[in-house]
């Protein structure tokens, strides 16, 4: 580094210092280089308009811009098809990357393509861009105008966030997953508990990259600007990442809040309508909802559509059937996940159990297509938001849970725990 | 005279504009008619230019969708006053030039109250008096002097605080 570091720094301060022009701390303003700008189909037309009519600019570094067609893919209406056509034409004209229909959900695709790396700054036109923190990239969501400014200039302008330190201790019990950890973290912090802040997660060697993506993904549900997981475990070895020494937080860095989550005592969690921090033990909701049929179970999204998630679901569903009256939608997060799940038989297990498989993409998460909900319907979903009207009608109810809980619920037709299913013999 | 539209805590971006009514789905010319479609279905047809929205904490949590505040801008909402805002949405409000004030008016004003808001001075006048709303945070004033970060960037070719 060219600048001395006079005080210990958090990961967020480290990355924003490294990619800026001076050493910065929480509360400072920073103008920093952006390593990757991600644009989704939903706002592609706004982005193109900002770049053209408003800024009269082209992408400063086309290789640092990716457009992903995932939020309504394949197109459901003529207007959506037109927007996606314009996105394709823009990519061809300017040389930015395009990931077209079926390649998968933006965050999963960028991760698979190596377009988010330790120490990078990645901005996306999707709030769940915190996901890149799984590999110690400062990922943050912004709106179309900010995203266009970043593409035009190669930089962005932001306030260096304070950091919340979350330390995980102990080890998860069987049937408990990273999603349960993330929901517990959101419950503890609250939906605005980390607004404007970075959540820095100290997990040691726990969690795969996919699991770390689930943790970082949900940080925005506490209002966070970024969710950074300190590199460890398979991140150090499995993907060939060059992990710079400077990316790790310093001992003695300043945190606004520190919390500890003991994984060994954590039970499966579920977020009840209509706020993500409305989190309960699944066992309690199972009791409260014992007479409530579940109409739809959705396994997928940037939160939980990865191979680990499909494996967890298949382990519960293997040899069993989805309950009569319940629909199970499974949408892999990317074409790579789909291929892997095809190759190892997971998709066959899910299909035989009665799952409906969809094109890799966002699916019905934001209520646009591929499984929206009717008035009064109940959905258990592995996605990230249960707001009123999020997946369809305003009187539909959405419960957020892990893939294993979602799969168990699909088998029982009621909110259920994996053990409820796994303790019952597979039918002959 | 403009009126108050009063909301509670945690008004999220799906409340402001459900994702299924994004411009690329509902149409660029009509998407704003779905503002608050589920939680205040009468809003879009009744709101008048200059009306002021007041809410509780964490206004605008959720999605990065800029078309949510764009719908409010198209409907010529005069400003939003809430004790706290979610960060992506707050940036979007600034970028679109929608006045946003961090202040809690929900204990003082009722839904439908007649008000006038001077966005330059931050003075809100209501039937029983006036309220001085706080100015925007210091670090934003350089940008806001030009109207928005976009306007600042267009004029200066750099971000606020960045060496020329």
């Amino acid at each position: 580094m060219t600048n001395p570091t006079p005080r210990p720094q958090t990961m967020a301060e480290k990355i924003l210092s490294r990619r800026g022009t001076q050493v910065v701390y929480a509360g400072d303003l920073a103008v920093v280089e952006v390593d990757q700008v991600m644009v989704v189909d939903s706002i592609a037309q706004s982005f193109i308009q900002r770049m053209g009519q408003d800024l009269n600019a082209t992408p400063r570094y086309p290789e640092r811009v990716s457009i992903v067609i995932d939020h309504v893919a394949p197109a459901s209406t003529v207007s959506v098809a037109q927007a996606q056509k314009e996105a394709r034409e823009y990519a061809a004209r300017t040389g930015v990357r395009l990931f077209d229909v079926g390649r998968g959900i933006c965050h999963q695709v960028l991760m698979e393509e190596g377009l988010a790396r330790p120490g990078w700054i990645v901005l996306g036109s999707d709030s769940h861009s915190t996901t890149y923190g799984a590999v110690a990239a400062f990922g943050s969501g912004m709106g179309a105008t900010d995203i266009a400014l970043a593409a035009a200039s190669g930089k962005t302008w932001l306030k260096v966030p304070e950091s919340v330190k979350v330390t995980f201790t102990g080890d998860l019990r069987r049937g408990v997953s990273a999603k349960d950890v993330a929901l517990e973290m959101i419950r503890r912090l609250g939906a605005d508990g980390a607004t404007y802040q970075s959540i820095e997660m100290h997990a040691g060697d726990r969690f795969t990259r996919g699991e770390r993506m689930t943790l970082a993904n949900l940080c925005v549900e506490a209002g966070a600007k970024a969710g950074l997981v300190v590199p460890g475990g398979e991140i150090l070895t499995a993907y060939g990442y060059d992990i710079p020494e400077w990316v790790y937080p310093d001992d003695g860095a300043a945190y606004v809040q520190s919390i500890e989550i003991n994984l060994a005592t954590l039970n499966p969690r579920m977020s009840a309508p209509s706020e993500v921090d409305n989190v309960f033990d699944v066992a309690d909701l199972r009791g409260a909802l014992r007479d409530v049929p579940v109409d739809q179970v959705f396994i997928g999204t940037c939160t939980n559509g990865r191979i680990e998630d499909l494996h967890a679901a298949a382990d519960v569903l293997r040899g069993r059937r989805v309950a009569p009256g319940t629909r199970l939608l499974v949408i892999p997060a990317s074409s790579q996940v789909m291929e892997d799940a095809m190759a190892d038989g997971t998709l066959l297990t899910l299909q035989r159990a009665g799952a409906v498989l969809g094109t890799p993409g966002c699916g019905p998460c934001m209520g646009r297509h591929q499984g929206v909900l009717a008035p009064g319907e109940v959905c258990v979903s592995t996605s990230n938001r249960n707001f009123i009207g999020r997946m369809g009608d305003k009187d539909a109810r959405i419960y957020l849970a892990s893939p294993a809980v979602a799969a168990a619920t699909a088998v029982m037709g009621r909110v259920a725990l994996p053990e409820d299913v796994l303790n019952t013999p597979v039918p002959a | 005279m403009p009126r108050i539209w009063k909301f509670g805590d945690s008004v999220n971006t799906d409340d402001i504009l459900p994702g299924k009514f994004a411009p690329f789905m509902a149409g660029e010319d009509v998407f704003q008619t779905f503002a608050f479609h589920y939680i205040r279905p009468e809003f879009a047809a009744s709101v008048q230019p200059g009306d002021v929205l007041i809410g509780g904490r964490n206004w605008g949590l959720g999605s990065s969708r800029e078309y949510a505040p764009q719908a409010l801008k198209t409907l010529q909402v005069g400003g939003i006053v809430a004790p706290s805002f979610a960060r992506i949405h707050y940036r979007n409000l600034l970028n679109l030039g929608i006045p946003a004030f961090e202040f809690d008016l929900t204990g003082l004003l009722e839904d439908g109250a007649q008000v006038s808001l001077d966005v330059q001075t931050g003075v809100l006048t209501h039937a029983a008096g006036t309220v001085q709303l706080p100015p925007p945070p210091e670090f934003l004033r350089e940008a806001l002097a030009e109207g928005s970060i976009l306007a600042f960037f267009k004029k200066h070719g750099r971000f606020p605080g960045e060496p020329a």
Side-chain angles (χ1 to χ4, degrees), chain A residues 194-245:
Chain A
T195 298
Y196 288 99
Q197 298 170 348
S198 165
I199 299 175
E200 187 180 288
M201 289 163 280
H202 292 243
D205 288 328
R206 296 173 189 83
F207 302 120
T208 62
R209 184 175 75 174
E211 292 168 332
R212 287 166 180 250
M213 289 172 74
T214 302
L215 295 173
N217 177 277
L218 277 184
C219 285
V220 73
E221 306 307 332
K225 186 179 284 191
L228 298 161
V229 191
V230 179
E234 71 165 41
I235 300 298
L236 305 180
T237 54
Y239 300 97
Y241 291 129
D242 173 20
I243 304 174
E245 200 50 45

Side-chain angles (χ1 to χ4, degrees), chain A residues 29 31 41-43 45 49-50 54-55 72 76-77 79-80 83 125-127 140-146 149 152-153 155-159 191-192 195-196 220 223-225 275 366-368 385 387-390 392-394, chain B residues 9-10 12-15 18-28 37-39 57-58 61-67 70 84-88 90-92 95-96 102 137 139-140 143 149-150 153-154 159-163:
Chain A
L29 287 177
V31 176
D41 51 354
S42 320
I43 62 100
Q45 286 171 312
Q49 183 187 329
R50 294 276 182 278
D54 296 342
L55 284 165
V72 189
S76 58
T77 66
S79 66
V80 170
S125 70
D126 182 281
S127 59
S140 198
M142 290 188 184
T145 299
D146 277 317
L149 283 168
S153 68
K155 295 182 222 174
T156 195
W157 180 82
L158 46 72
K159 196 169 169 185
D192 62 354
T195 298
Y196 288 99
V220 73
K225 186 179 284 191
E275 289 170 0
M366 75 295 298
R368 286 172 172 157
R385 290 196 176 126
F387 299 156
I388 291 167
R390 171 79 178 179
D393 188 79
K394 68 177 168 52
Chain B
D9 288 338
S10 306
N12 65 57
T13 49
D14 281 82
D15 293 331
K20 66 177 75 61
F21 303 121
F24 83 132
M25 302 202 74
E28 276 195 69
H37 184 68
Y38 291 134
I39 65 166
R57 59 189 265 191
N58 208 18
L61 74 153
S63 165
S64 61
R65 59 185 68 152
E66 194 177 78
Y67 49 79
Q70 182 67 53
S84 61
F85 289 83
R87 61 160 281 277
I88 305 176
Y90 189 70
R91 279 188 84 117
N92 287 340
N95 283 330
L96 294 175
E102 291 189 276
F139 72 96
L140 292 172
I149 298 171
L150 183 78
F153 186 88
K154 277 177 72 174
F159 290 97
E162 190 180 14

Side-chain angles (χ1 to χ4, degrees), chain A residues 269-287:
Chain A
R269 295 296 206 180
M270 182 174 266
S271 170
S274 323
E275 289 170 0
V276 182
D277 61 350
N278 191 28
V279 174
F280 299 89
D281 264 348
V282 176
D284 293 339
L285 284 177
R286 177 184 58 180

Side-chain angles (χ1 to χ4, degrees), chain A residues 2 39 66 88 112 139 164 175 194 241 248 259 266 282 306 329 337:
Chain A
T2 52
V39 179
S66 297
R88 287 184 195 101
E112 290 174 359
V164 176
Y241 291 129
Y248 292 86
I259 65 171
L266 190 66
V282 176
R306 284 174 279 281
L329 307 182
V337 172

Side-chain angles (χ1 to χ4, degrees), chain A residues 114-380:
Chain A
L115 295 172
R117 292 178 169 276
W120 281 24
I121 294 173
V122 182
L123 300 183
S125 70
D126 182 281
S127 59
H128 292 100
S129 299
T130 53
T131 306
Y132 307 115
V135 295
F138 187 96
S140 198
M142 290 188 184
T145 299
D146 277 317
I147 288 294
L149 283 168
S153 68
K155 295 182 222 174
T156 195
W157 180 82
L158 46 72
K159 196 169 169 185
V160 180
E162 297 174 313
S163 292
V164 176
K165 183 178 184 180
V166 179
T167 306
F168 302 118
T169 62
D171 290 302
L172 289 175
R173 292 179 295 183
R174 190 161 171 266
V176 189
S177 74
K179 178 62 165 291
D180 303 300
V181 178
L183 289 176
E184 173 64 8
M185 186 167 65
I186 302 310
R187 184 188 75 80
R188 293 271 296 272
L189 293 171
D192 62 354
T195 298
Y196 288 99
Q197 298 170 348
S198 165
I199 299 175
E200 187 180 288
M201 289 163 280
H202 292 243
D205 288 328
R206 296 173 189 83
F207 302 120
T208 62
R209 184 175 75 174
E211 292 168 332
R212 287 166 180 250
M213 289 172 74
T214 302
L215 295 173
N217 177 277
L218 277 184
C219 285
V220 73
E221 306 307 332
K225 186 179 284 191
L228 298 161
V229 191
V230 179
E234 71 165 41
I235 300 298
L236 305 180
T237 54
Y239 300 97
Y241 291 129
D242 173 20
I243 304 174
E245 200 50 45
W246 56 258
V247 89
Y248 292 86
D250 291 324
D251 289 338
Y255 299 96
V256 285
Q257 184 186 176
S258 295
I259 65 171
E260 189 178 300
I261 296 177
N262 184 353
L263 305 184
T265 59
L266 190 66
N267 295 317
R269 295 296 206 180
M270 182 174 266
S271 170
S274 323
E275 289 170 0
V276 182
D277 61 350
N278 191 28
V279 174
F280 299 89
D281 264 348
V282 176
D284 293 339
L285 284 177
R286 177 184 58 180
L289 299 170
R290 76 170 68 83
D291 299 323
V292 178
V294 174
D295 302 287
Q296 179 166 299
V297 172
F298 171 39
I299 298 174
T301 78
C302 56
T303 308
N304 276 130
R306 284 174 279 281
I307 193 70
E308 293 95 327
D309 303 314
L310 302 192
H311 286 164
D315 286 345
V316 174
L317 286 158
R318 188 166 292 110
R320 299 185 170 86
R321 288 287 301 176
V322 173
T326 302
R327 312 180 293 273
L328 170 61
L329 307 182
V330 177
I331 303 186
S334 72
S335 57
Q336 184 64 58
V337 172
M338 194 161 204
E339 271 185 50
D340 292 347
M342 205 176 274
D344 70 12
T346 301
L347 289 189
L348 186 60
T349 299
L350 297 172
Q351 175 78 18
R352 281 184 173 152
V356 177
L357 302 174
T359 307
C362 301
C365 176
M366 75 295 298
R368 286 172 172 157
H369 70 160
Q370 291 182 345
V372 300
L373 301 170
E377 285 196 320
V378 172
C379 180
V380 169

